[in-house]
Amino acid sequence: MENARDNFIIIDGNSLVNRAFYALPPMTAQGKPVQAVYGFATMLIRMIQNYKPKYIAVAFDLPAPTFRHKMYDGYKATRKGMPDELAVQLPVLKEMLARMGITILEKEGYEADDIIGTLAHGTSCFTYIVTGDRDSFQLIDDSTSVVMTKRGITDVLELDEAGLKQEFDLTPAQVIEYKAIAGDGSDNIPGVTGIGDKGAKQLLGEYGTLDKIYENLDKLSAAMRKKLEEGRELAYLSRTLASIDTNVPIFARAEECPCRFPFDDCVRTFFIDYGFKSLLKRTDIFEKNYDGEEATPPSEIRCESKEFTSVSELVNVIQSMKGETAVEFGAQGLWLASSPETEYSTKFSDRLDDMCALSLGQCIDAVKLVLEDDSVVKVVYDAKKLIAFCEPLDIAPVALWDVKLAQYVADVLKPNEPFSALAAAHGLDVEHPASAMLVLRKELAAEMKAGRLEEVFTGLEMPLVPVLRDMEKVGFKLDIGQLDKLNTEYTAQEKEIEREIFELTGQEFNIKSPRQLGKVLFEDLGLPYSGKGKNYSTGAEILEPLADKHPVIEKILAYRAVTKLNSTYVVGLKKLTGADGIIHTDFRQAVTATGRLSSAEPNLQNIPVRDERGKRLRALFTSRDGFTLVSADYSQIELRLLAHFSGDEILRTAYSNGDDVHTYTAAKVFGVEPENVTPAQRRAAKAVNFGIIYGISDFGLAQNVKITRSQAKKYIEEYFRHFPSVKGYLDESVQRARSCGYAETLTGRRRQVPELFSSQYQLRKFGERVAMNMPLQGSAADIIKRAMIDVHKRLKGMKSRLILQIHDELIVEASDDETDIVCGILKECMENAFSLSVPLTVDVGIGKSWIDC
């Protein structure tokens, strides 16, 4: 092997960028996806540091057909095209490689493999081919190894001739012969029909080459001989298709592909622009002469870990902590750090004979000192979870700064859970959580400041944490007796509808099996199938249009409705309800891209309400004895926000006068006086009003209102003709998001919109809808969060308590003697949460059950 300084790394660009794209979670910068570029950079640096090349090049495929496509129409015909979310990253990747001074090689009519083979065979350097494509195994020789990517972006296998034989039982020359016989499904190389991996290797093990196999056909079994004779033409075609061309007419030589490493300031600036923080911290990958101060990345943190051996030592450390301290505290242990360089920890032990570890019980009093000290900012991960853990320990944490919520505010599309994903996204060591959290605190605070997001974090998200925790603690009372009766009733309905379905179809089958149901409907009954593919889809979008074709369709939809209600809600709620009849949901604060809260285990925001069965479920949620439920619901908050943002004078006047906006819109769209608007026209106008918020198409409106597409198109055109300011605002929202990469709410909350830059039409249209809707739905979420904080504060000292939020609705369980006061508090806090150019109005209802409110 040549001296290390003469090593030559040749990278299969398409292979590595695909590996990175699928191995990493979504990551955006400047509103565009970049995770594949980041992953490629990480792998590239690792290869450079491992193999210390003097020369380096990256070869890419081009979209034009190659000589193999012209030779065989089926070549790679089954391979899916590059996802649009990856395709848009290729220009960014090539820009990065250009800044690194790395040679990029492409040749129309040839594949990257051919370029790699030509370079490898045309140099005296020792060559490392970095790829995930096994075709390159044929290039292995005494001066060429293949570095095969396996899982993720770190797991690789280096193969020389001996390694190839050991791993795959093949020599480099036999790689082509193997594919000639066994074929290659990924490239759609046919091979010999009926001979797979085992058979191909047995034949090659005995005869060595394809030619020798055919020279000895008479020595094979009759069945094998027949397969080979019938497949002779395809076998030799497959061998040609699998053979890498090492004589591509390119004029690059190794000497013209120098490796410039460490990187210069141009690469550092690229990493800064695209937010590759973990790479920026790598002082070992940059030249040392960088003088810029503003963009200087933080030096790599080296954390010294110290374990507590006694309670007195723990107390001393805690008493020394002032100003800001990171705390990771739970059933597993305690980690503390006041600076990223030093972390103190103990992993709790329940074993009495374990003298080297403290127990949870021993640490409670000491931890209480720091967690309840409001002069010390506690940097934590998942503040609500910490508060819940501390409650039975009689600890009430204060002055918390939640890195999970900070990441959610800074960039909602970046991972914020679990902690390991958050730490990894910032290039931090999860083994030192307290140290990592201090670094995250600094970085995320800087990000939020740069994006003017501090008020969203400090004014909304952090104050909301104790509100949500109190709501979870109180819970919602469920009438278990009535729940059991409903279960019995729905189970009986299931069986009755099932019997009717069997009668209508003339056979018994598993109605819940899409395969069996599809066969019955589309083969046995001969109903028309509008879906695509070989496997029948039996979703609502397929079945609903068939309702007038056969009475069984209505029964199937009814069966699904009752079984879902029974299994998901009735049975599901029973499992999650405590012995006291109280159900406690988990409010998820850092999940949705719009800022809305979500609810889980159970999802109380998703209890059905539109049909009678769903309404009966809400009737089971009741107030405790001596209490009454008070519900306050914003009236058309998103439409009011549309009027506010667009400045449309017609809408503003309608809301200021208290007019029915749906009737008002119907009068404009249908050209009639408001008093002459029919219920059907009002319903259509309502669908248009709410559809406009979500960028609805004529197709979507037609489906919603059950009208023709041409009618729907006319409705939308008429709407925009009468409300031109709305059209202008929505178009401007899309252009603004395309320009800056994000959409923004009333409070300044941001949602990156990388979908706007997708080459896929449907994804781009989705991005446009996000750009239109995020300011409206996100602002509504911000408004109700502010209202929740204010309501919670006003209820302090009262017996009444906030128990649930369902998007635009708040529910308070009010003491019977405080009901009137609570109604006033809800109305006042919600209507004055923010000042808009149109009034925010709230509808208030009271009742002993949820459905009565």
Side-chain angles (χ1 to χ4, degrees), residues 21 26-35 84-89 411-414 593 734 737-743 750-768 770-771:
F21 177 74
M27 176 179 175
T28 60
Q30 303 175 19
K32 303 172 185 177
V34 293
Q35 76 268 26
D84 295 318
E85 298 88 339
L86 172 55
V88 297
Q89 299 185 54
D411 187 347
V412 68
L413 298 186
K414 283 188 178 178
V734 174
R738 189 173 280 121
S739 173
C740 62
Y742 59 82
R750 293 178 180 179
R751 195 271 200 200
Q752 303 290 330
V753 196
E755 297 88 352
L756 284 172
F757 304 95
S758 173
S759 58
Q760 183 182 350
Y761 174 79
Q762 292 297 339
L763 203 57
R764 274 202 318 279
K765 297 303 288 185
F766 170 75
E768 291 175 7
V770 168

Side-chain angles (χ1 to χ4, degrees), residues 465-481:
V465 171
V467 179
L468 296 176
R469 179 56 204 153
D470 283 352
M471 291 166 65
E472 291 174 351
K473 261 193 307 184
V474 176
F476 210 148
K477 188 173 185 297
L478 203 58
D479 189 329
I480 297 299

Side-chain angles (χ1 to χ4, degrees), residues 24 47-48 55 60 134 175 193 228 241 262 350 370 381 437 472 651 661 743 781 793:
L24 296 176
M47 294 299 148
I48 291 174
Y55 309 110
F60 285 99
R134 298 185 181 191
V175 171
T193 303
L228 286 164
L241 294 172
D350 293 326
V370 68
Y381 178 82
M437 282 192 283
E472 291 174 351
L651 285 178
V661 169
K793 191 181 298 182

Side-chain angles (χ1 to χ4, degrees), residues 185-209:
S186 65
D187 288 342
N188 203 36
I189 294 176
V192 177
T193 303
I195 304 179
D197 172 79
K198 185 177 179 181
K201 285 183 177 177
Q202 284 178 344
L203 288 169
L204 289 172
E206 188 164 355
Y207 299 106
T209 67

Side-chain angles (χ1 to χ4, degrees), residues 346-403:
T346 184
K347 292 185 178 179
F348 296 142
S349 173
D350 293 326
R351 290 173 49 197
L352 297 177
D353 61 342
D354 190 348
M355 306 302 291
C356 297
L358 302 178
S359 69
L360 171 60
Q362 289 176 293
C363 297
I364 290 174
D365 290 340
V367 177
K368 186 181 178 78
L369 288 174
V370 68
L371 288 180
E372 293 188 343
D373 185 348
D374 60 9
S375 69
V376 178
V377 174
K378 272 74 63 178
V379 182
V380 302
Y381 178 82
D382 200 338
K384 182 161 69 70
K385 183 178 178 181
L386 175 65
I387 292 170
F389 178 76
C390 288
E391 283 167 357
L393 305 178
D394 192 30
I395 301 175
V398 295
L400 303 179
W401 202 99
D402 190 342
V403 295

Side-chain angles (χ1 to χ4, degrees), residues 217-487:
L217 283 181
D218 58 326
K219 298 178 183 178
L220 303 177
S221 67
M224 181 64 76
R225 185 166 59 251
K226 182 180 179 185
K227 291 174 185 176
L228 286 164
E229 285 175 338
E230 292 177 351
R232 182 189 295 264
E233 185 177 345
L234 284 178
Y236 280 97
L237 171 65
S238 297
R239 186 168 72 171
T240 303
L241 294 172
S243 298
I244 290 176
D245 186 345
T246 58
N247 292 294
V248 177
I250 55 170
F251 302 101
R253 297 178 301 164
E255 292 75 12
E256 296 167 331
C257 306
C259 179
R260 299 180 177 93
F261 187 83
F263 301 132
D264 60 16
D265 297 346
C266 186
V267 177
R268 189 194 304 262
T269 303
F270 178 90
F271 288 172
I272 291 169
D273 290 344
Y274 285 94
F276 295 171
K277 295 179 182 177
S278 62
L279 297 180
L280 283 167
K281 295 173 185 174
R282 297 276 302 276
T283 56
D284 57 324
I285 67 175
F286 295 108
E287 294 176 346
K288 303 299 182 184
N289 61 348
Y290 181 67
D291 297 324
E293 192 168 323
E294 183 178 332
T296 302
S299 59
E300 191 171 356
I301 301 297
R302 299 195 180 280
C303 180
E304 181 184 3
S305 184
K306 298 182 179 180
E307 293 189 15
F308 296 112
T309 57
S310 68
V311 174
S312 60
E313 183 184 0
L314 170 60
V315 171
N316 288 338
V317 169
I318 285 176
Q319 288 178 339
S320 70
M321 291 182 165
K322 306 294 180 186
E324 182 176 282
T325 297
V327 181
E328 173 65 14
F329 178 50
Q332 301 303 312
L334 170 67
W335 290 261
L336 296 167
S338 285
S339 75
E341 290 78 17
T342 306
E343 180 177 87
Y344 299 89
S345 66
T346 184
K347 292 185 178 179
F348 296 142
S349 173
D350 293 326
R351 290 173 49 197
L352 297 177
D353 61 342
D354 190 348
M355 306 302 291
C356 297
L358 302 178
S359 69
L360 171 60
Q362 289 176 293
C363 297
I364 290 174
D365 290 340
V367 177
K368 186 181 178 78
L369 288 174
V370 68
L371 288 180
E372 293 188 343
D373 185 348
D374 60 9
S375 69
V376 178
V377 174
K378 272 74 63 178
V379 182
V380 302
Y381 178 82
D382 200 338
K384 182 161 69 70
K385 183 178 178 181
L386 175 65
I387 292 170
F389 178 76
C390 288
E391 283 167 357
L393 305 178
D394 192 30
I395 301 175
V398 295
L400 303 179
W401 202 99
D402 190 342
V403 295
K404 178 180 178 180
L405 283 179
Q407 178 63 81
Y408 177 66
V409 171
D411 187 347
V412 68
L413 298 186
K414 283 188 178 178
N416 59 50
E417 61 178 354
F419 177 72
S420 57
L422 174 58
H426 289 260
L428 299 170
D429 186 357
V430 71
E431 296 300 319
H432 299 292
S435 170
M437 282 192 283
L438 285 180
V439 178
L440 285 168
R441 159 82 160 92
K442 183 178 180 180
E443 292 186 3
L444 292 171
E447 279 190 46
M448 289 190 290
K449 183 177 181 180
R452 302 185 302 279
L453 292 161
E454 300 110 307
E455 182 56 28
V456 177
F457 179 70
T458 59
L460 276 182
E461 298 299 348
M462 285 308 302
L464 191 63
V465 171
V467 179
L468 296 176
R469 179 56 204 153
D470 283 352
M471 291 166 65
E472 291 174 351
K473 261 193 307 184
V474 176
F476 210 148
K477 188 173 185 297
L478 203 58
D479 189 329
I480 297 299
Q482 290 300 316
L483 190 69
D484 289 338
K485 288 182 180 178
L486 204 55
N487 180 24

Side-chain angles (χ1 to χ4, degrees), residues 7-62:
N7 285 350
F8 185 14
I9 289 180
I10 312 174
I11 295 173
D12 182 340
N14 291 79
S15 176
L16 251 70
V17 78
N18 267 280
R19 172 72 59 185
F21 177 74
Y22 289 107
L24 296 176
M27 176 179 175
T28 60
Q30 303 175 19
K32 303 172 185 177
V34 293
Q35 76 268 26
V37 183
Y38 168 78
F40 193 105
T42 302
M43 290 189 282
L44 174 69
I45 291 167
R46 181 175 291 109
M47 294 299 148
I48 291 174
Q49 291 186 322
N50 284 351
Y51 297 106
K52 299 178 174 55
K54 186 174 182 179
Y55 309 110
I56 188 168
V58 180
F60 285 99
D61 294 327
L62 288 174

